[in-house]
Amino acid sequence: MPASEKAAGALRTIGELAQEIGRPQHILRYWETRFPQLRPLTRAGNRRYYRPDDVALVRRIHDLLSNQGYTIRGVQKLLAEEKGGRANARSGGGGSAAEFRAIRDALVEALEEDAG
């Protein structure tokens, strides 16, 4: 069955994904060495199966490299920055209570200076 006929959540083989994006399989294997976020399932004989999140990431990497003019290093940096941003968003911005108190105190002081 062609990859386009698979269900949205179905696993894709490296061959199906390579054909979908129009790149050889060895390029996808190379990207796995350069982008730690890309980790397909591997089964017996090192057969790779890409989950929906992996497929979306491969499509994004392909778009950034092919259409938007990014370099491998540029895509690595972009993905790393996004990963850091998501981690901060999950933890409430990444600030501790002491950091928030210091910011609040600085704002209170600035408001008092403006008023007086």
Side-chain angles (χ1 to χ4, degrees):
M1 172 175 13
S4 60
E5 294 179 21
K6 280 192 168 185
L11 299 176
R12 302 270 196 288
T13 65
I14 191 169
E16 291 168 341
L17 189 52
Q19 184 176 9
E20 179 182 324
I21 66 168
R23 294 277 183 127
Q25 294 178 22
H26 73 269
I27 296 295
L28 295 178
R29 288 190 291 272
Y30 173 73
W31 287 353
E32 289 173 25
T33 68
R34 294 291 165 230
F35 302 105
Q37 303 88 342
L38 184 58
R39 288 286 163 242
L41 297 172
T42 53
R43 296 289 185 236
N46 278 340
R47 290 185 52 92
R48 290 166 169 79
Y49 293 97
Y50 292 84
R51 296 170 282 229
D53 288 346
D54 295 321
V55 171
L57 181 57
V58 165
R59 288 177 184 151
R60 179 136 189 257
I61 292 169
H62 174 69
D63 178 61
L64 291 168
L65 292 170
S66 299
N67 302 327
Q68 297 188 33
Y70 278 80
T71 62
I72 293 281
R73 188 170 303 275
V75 175
Q76 288 170 333
K77 185 176 178 183
L78 179 70
L79 294 177
E81 287 171 356
E82 288 176 355
K83 181 181 178 187
R86 275 192 227 115
N88 285 343
R90 265 192 303 246
S91 66
S96 68
E99 290 172 320
F100 288 125
R101 279 193 292 276
I103 292 169
R104 181 197 61 204
D105 293 344
L107 289 171
V108 167
E109 185 179 321
L111 287 171
E112 288 172 352
E113 287 176 9
D114 281 349

